Amino acid sequence: MRLIECVPNFSEGRNLAIVEKIVDEFRAKEGVRLLDYSSDADHNRSVVTIMGEPATVAAAVVRAVGVAVELIDLTKHSGEHPRMGAVDVIPFIPIKNVDMNECVELSKEVAKELFEKYSLPVYLYENSCSAETRRNLADVRKGEYEGLEKKMKRAGWKPDFGEAPHPTAGAVAVGAREILVAYNVNLGTSDVAIADKIARVVRHAGGGLRFVKAMGIELAERNVAQVSMNLTDYKKSSIYRIFELIKIEAARYGVPVIGSEVIGLVPMQALVDAAEYYLQIENFSINQVIESRLINHGQNN
Amino acid sequence: MRLIECVPNFSEGRNLAIVEKIVDEFRAKEGVRLLDYSSDADHNRSVVTIMGEPATVAAAVVRAVGVAVELIDLTKHSGEHPRMGAVDVIPFIPIKNVDMNECVELSKEVAKELFEKYSLPVYLYENSCSAETRRNLADVRKGEYEGLEKKMKRAGWKPDFGEAPHPTAGAVAVGAREILVAYNVNLGTSDVAIADKIARVVRHAGGGLRFVKAMGIELAERNVAQVSMNLTDYKKSSIYRIFELIKIEAARYGVPVIGSEVIGLVPMQALVDAAEYYLQIENFSINQVIESRLINHGQNN
């Protein structure tokens, strides 16, 4: 079994009839599983999570983009979340028996098809980027839909496919990246300055772990400070290492760690890694986990 | 998705052609997954692990027993492992969206069918037992194939189905039980007496954790003593609690825990429980694990 995840973001979070029409392209399709979708009215944006065999996922995404380009009009769009297109971003994520290179190739094929089918200009980003300046989605999206026409004419910002914005659908960022894990550690203090100091030293930008983005925030309703994180490669910057490192840093302020949170989806391996570490398990294979067998064997073997 | 596991034990571990014919009944069957099978020549026994939808698994097991009754002749069987039948024992184990009561009912239906179809007498055991004296498989099997004729005539030992042994296939124990997890903890000593002392206090029989069976053994090739365990309910006697308890007991002898082992298959939840404990994760749902979603959603949703 070969699996990728794809998490397309659509710029519609209020008209749920439109969202359903888009999501329908992922429903009851052979080889595609709709894992999750959620709409945010303030952001005016919907995030869909699907998983399946690479070519099948790619085909479904292309169809869904077609629906979105037809039904979403960015000239009338407003919302809190930055966006540059009816479909804002399409990341392809390797999950099982698929490597990053293959996801990069797939993202480029999808990008080409989106331009050819819908005249939708595409910026390749993350591991698919054609220049380092385009790796970061925030840089690609800067100026948003309203600034696209000018941006595309500036040196270094011609899209990878196309050269002018789609009149109503803007542009889309397509790329391959590792799966993100959202992980937070709660501190036994309400002092957000302490959470922030810890965040600064455990994150990559501050000399900390390579695949950790972190900031200190306040959980007002609990009167607790939190180190809020995105793990961009949970295999290399393991959850247990991050957790223990934060404990060590918190100790210097006499602050205990009172809990942690995993937000949204997480790969089984990320938690099994932690169990293996703490239980000092020797010679364990993920294939010993029953659920892993079930998935690898598919339905009828 | 509703799932049970079944681990039938067949009294043939040398003639692999026969084993293959039995296992064929679990191959490429809609709704049944063959997770594992292994044969032991010394034991002259094969253990098959399958999983799937309850009714489908039951039907496949009945067919496989038919093959075994036809091809295995207990009058000519010898091996190290105790056995009383061509098919020695058939446990049904609830895995997902199926409760123990349902597995008990299923085991009784299968038992009835085995007797009606093959004139194979059945003892119900474990959670399906008709009397407490029949709960334990070792008690049911005592006397083995050779002693069956006499045993069935003794007070309290008439089978639940049938009243005389099948001439070549003996009898079979059928029942419902929780999944077993084989878990061992290795000590930084070669003194097996210490492992044995620890085993005695952490196990149920010695006043320890309710669902733990334990003994001290020696890993000769590593010159290391081990607390070797079977966990009969990993949800109630959690792996992390056992591990920490053994650490505490080992400390009184100045002995460190140097590692642990999970043998064979383990449910994802058993390891996720450990990760949740050590990482102090709050409000986690197993449904946040991607693999869990994949299994619950099935192939095409």
Side-chain angles (χ1 to χ4, degrees), chain B residues 248-260:
Chain B
I248 288 168
E249 289 299 326
R252 80 157 49 177
Y253 307 104
V255 167
V257 162
I258 61 167
S260 77

Side-chain angles (χ1 to χ4, degrees), chain A residues 201-213 236-239 241-243 245:
Chain A
V201 298
V202 300
R203 72 190 178 195
H204 184 229
L209 298 169
R210 169 136 178 212
F211 298 103
V212 175
K213 296 176 180 184
K236 290 178 182 153
S237 296
S238 300
I239 289 184
R241 207 174 298 129
I242 297 163
F243 180 75
L245 201 55

Side-chain angles (χ1 to χ4, degrees), chain A residues 270-272 274-275 278, chain B residues 240 270-281:
Chain A
L271 297 175
V272 170
Y278 289 109
Chain B
Y240 71 82
L271 297 175
V272 170
D273 282 349
E276 280 192 73
Y277 169 76
Y278 289 109
L279 297 172
Q280 300 172 230
I281 302 178

